[in-house]
Amino acid sequence: MSNELPRQEIHNKEAEWLIEAQKGETNAFTYLVELYQKPVYSLCYRMLGNAEDAEDAAQETFMRAYKAIRRYDNKRPFSTWLLSIAAHHCIDQIRRRRFPIISVEELPFPELSEPSPGLETILVSNEEKNRIRSLLNVLEPLDRATVVLYYWYEFSYQEISELLSLSLSAVKSRLHRARRAMAENWIQIQPKFEQLDFNSNKSGCNENFLMERITP
Amino acid sequence: MNHQPYLEWIFSDGEIGLDRLNQQQRYEFDQHLNSCSSCRSLFSAWHATEVYLQNQSLISPKPGFTSRWKLRLEEDRKLFHRRQTKVTLAVSIGGSLLLLVLLFLLTWPWLRSPSLLVWTWIYNIFIMYSYVGLVNEIIVRVIQSATFVIPITWLIILIGILSELGVLWIVSYRLLTNPRRITR
């Protein structure tokens, strides 16, 4: 019950903010940005694979939503509408990419000036990011969007079909194809990551591990 | 060996997924996995992948996302205003140029022969003078006919009454239309 009340309150507030935003109140829309920044950013990150592009895509998503807020149908959930904008924008971005972009954060240089998270933590975190990226990179943009929405946002087939403008059978077949591709990819990448995990777990091997990661 | 139905079961969920298999199908599936290393490998890989995907949480952006969005909105607005100004300026300049071209095209024959322009103006002045003369003649004729029908005394009285009515109309119009002065 204690969890229900704030959720209901947030829901009511969201409805108020939406009405205000549709009247042109920028502050009301700012509250919506505050509320939805994490799911939108996360979707963009999973789709595009790096923080810079994800930030840019998430900002662009909110900008597009702000400009089109008057056309938003109040009967539909706002989250679905917003994530639909984000997903379509990310799909376009991936299709436009001709060459793979390597983000600065992908480079194996940990921030040595900040001792708090620890080198090992940073490297393990980077490995996790790389593993997810490797898994999703083999998928076509629409398949990737389907997987992200299904596994991280727990949308139903019906919701995904509405969100991505696909038929129900297309969603099912895309998910099926994506699962198989990811499983095949997992078989290929897993030994590499297992080896890295093993190295990172060895005590006193951090420096060697770091050198191994940095050495081309 | 036909792997298709088993792969279908592995990678589907809902109505045709592994959860919905009956005992016979489940037995067949297990038998197939025991004998087929490729399907077994895919099955365990997908199981591990699914668990891994489900364990991943949402990622937060760097702190200050909303502030950065506000800045971007401001920039976007400025850009929009700049673009709007440029468009307005371009349309104005374009329109002016078009009007200038039209004006030039219209005046081109006159500019080529100024004497034609002078003669046209003289002709227009002559026409205007003829019209004024015609109107003058009509008024004189009307007055002459009126004095012939109505005696001059009655005509003066009629003009006097009409003038007084005119003055009365002007005074009442002014009283009705002028705002009243409010005094404390």
Side-chain angles (χ1 to χ4, degrees):
Chain A
M1 191 67 190
S2 58
N3 284 337
E4 286 300 315
L5 257 176
R7 196 175 289 176
Q8 186 60 39
E9 262 179 43
I10 288 170
H11 183 76
N12 292 341
K13 283 270 179 197
E14 185 191 303
E16 279 175 30
W17 292 335
L18 274 169
I19 293 166
E20 290 295 312
Q22 282 182 315
K23 286 177 189 166
E25 277 291 324
T26 309
N27 281 341
F29 194 85
T30 308
Y31 294 133
L32 292 169
V33 174
E34 193 70 39
L35 192 64
Y36 283 102
Q37 56 173 298
K38 193 172 173 179
V40 169
Y41 176 82
S42 200
L43 173 71
C44 297
Y45 190 91
R46 295 299 183 210
M47 288 292 292
L48 300 170
N50 70 75
E52 287 162 47
D53 288 350
E55 165 88 15
D56 202 45
Q59 295 276 352
E60 182 60 29
T61 300
F62 283 112
M63 197 60 75
R64 287 182 182 191
Y66 178 75
K67 285 174 185 168
I69 192 78
R70 282 172 213 272
R71 278 178 276 147
Y72 160 68
D73 179 9
N74 278 310
K75 289 166 198 162
R76 283 179 71 189
F78 181 67
S79 58
T80 314
W81 183 71
L82 193 63
L83 290 174
S84 165
I85 296 173
H88 282 113
H89 177 64
C90 290
I91 289 166
D92 289 345
Q93 289 297 107
I94 297 167
R95 283 177 180 161
R96 264 181 223 154
R97 276 182 190 168
R98 288 185 181 178
F99 305 102
I101 298 162
I102 299 168
S103 156
V104 175
E105 68 158 23
E106 283 177 42
L107 297 171
F109 292 101
E111 287 182 26
L112 297 171
S113 56
E114 286 181 21
S116 52
L119 291 177
E120 202 175 326
T121 317
I122 292 168
L123 288 169
V124 169
S125 159
N126 279 346
E127 286 313 324
E128 286 296 307
K129 284 177 188 169
N130 285 338
R131 197 192 304 233
I132 278 281
R133 200 177 296 136
S134 308
L135 266 178
L136 295 174
N137 268 356
V138 292
L139 306 177
E140 279 179 25
L142 259 174
D143 293 0
R144 202 183 299 182
T146 314
V147 166
V148 171
L149 292 168
Y150 189 77
Y151 285 101
W152 278 291
Y153 295 86
E154 294 174 351
F155 279 124
S156 66
Y157 290 147
Q158 184 64 41
E159 285 170 319
I160 295 171
S161 75
E162 284 168 17
L163 209 141
L164 295 176
S165 313
L166 295 169
S167 68
L168 207 61
S169 57
V171 172
K172 284 179 187 172
S173 70
R174 278 182 184 278
L175 262 179
H176 185 276
R177 191 170 61 192
R179 282 171 184 144
R180 185 168 181 173
M182 283 193 293
E184 283 167 354
N185 191 33
W186 181 272
I187 294 168
Q188 284 176 4
I189 63 168
Q190 191 53 18
K192 190 182 90 182
F193 284 106
E194 270 173 5
Q195 183 61 34
L196 290 170
D197 288 345
F198 176 71
N199 284 341
S200 68
N201 288 334
K202 277 184 191 174
S203 58
C205 287
N206 290 339
E207 284 176 17
N208 292 340
F209 180 49
L210 182 63
M211 286 310 292
E212 193 182 296
R213 297 284 291 126
I214 295 170
T215 311
Chain B
M1 197 183 287
N2 185 14
H3 305 270
Q4 199 50 42
Y6 307 108
L7 291 175
E8 199 68 39
W9 286 339
I10 292 170
F11 296 116
S12 299
D13 58 0
E15 291 159 14
I16 49 169
L18 284 173
D19 302 339
R20 298 291 179 95
L21 298 185
N22 59 35
Q23 273 192 333
Q24 178 60 29
Q25 287 170 324
R26 187 77 214 188
Y27 175 75
E28 278 175 30
F29 179 70
D30 290 341
Q31 287 295 314
H32 180 78
L33 283 196
N34 283 335
S35 60
C36 176
S37 61
S38 159
C39 285
R40 193 168 57 242
S41 163
L42 279 174
F43 175 65
S44 63
W46 170 239
H47 180 68
T49 310
E50 195 170 32
V51 170
Y52 182 72
L53 288 180
Q54 282 162 349
N55 285 337
Q56 301 298 312
S57 52
L58 293 180
I59 306 159
S60 298
K62 283 177 192 165
F65 182 88
T66 313
S67 312
R68 291 196 294 280
W69 182 77
K70 279 184 186 172
L71 280 176
R72 194 171 169 144
L73 183 67
E74 277 304 308
E75 285 296 314
D76 192 73
R77 278 178 178 165
K78 275 181 197 167
L79 199 72
F80 175 75
H81 286 308
R82 232 175 280 157
R83 224 177 271 163
Q84 215 173 21
T85 313
K86 277 181 189 170
V87 168
T88 314
L89 208 66
V91 168
S92 310
I93 291 170
S96 309
L97 282 174
L98 190 72
L99 284 174
L100 274 174
V101 168
L102 283 173
L103 196 67
F104 180 74
L105 288 174
L106 279 171
T107 52
W108 177 243
W110 291 351
L111 291 173
R112 281 182 73 187
S113 54
S115 59
L116 185 69
L117 185 70
V118 172
W119 282 115
T120 311
W121 276 107
I122 289 169
Y123 175 75
N124 284 339
I125 289 165
F126 176 74
I127 291 287
M128 227 182 319
Y129 181 75
S130 308
Y131 278 127
V132 170
L134 193 68
V135 170
N136 190 27
E137 201 176 322
I138 289 167
I139 290 169
V140 168
R141 286 276 171 84
V142 167
I143 291 170
Q144 276 177 353
S145 333
T147 46
F148 184 72
V149 177
I150 308 162
I152 192 78
T153 329
W154 283 105
L155 205 63
I156 290 166
I157 292 167
L158 190 68
I159 289 168
I161 290 168
L162 282 174
S163 312
E164 278 179 20
L165 281 172
V167 171
L168 197 66
W169 180 78
I170 289 166
V171 170
S172 15
Y173 180 79
R174 279 184 68 88
L175 282 173
L176 284 169
T177 53
N178 276 6
R180 287 182 188 177
R181 207 173 278 171
I182 299 164
T183 49
R184 289 190 179 186

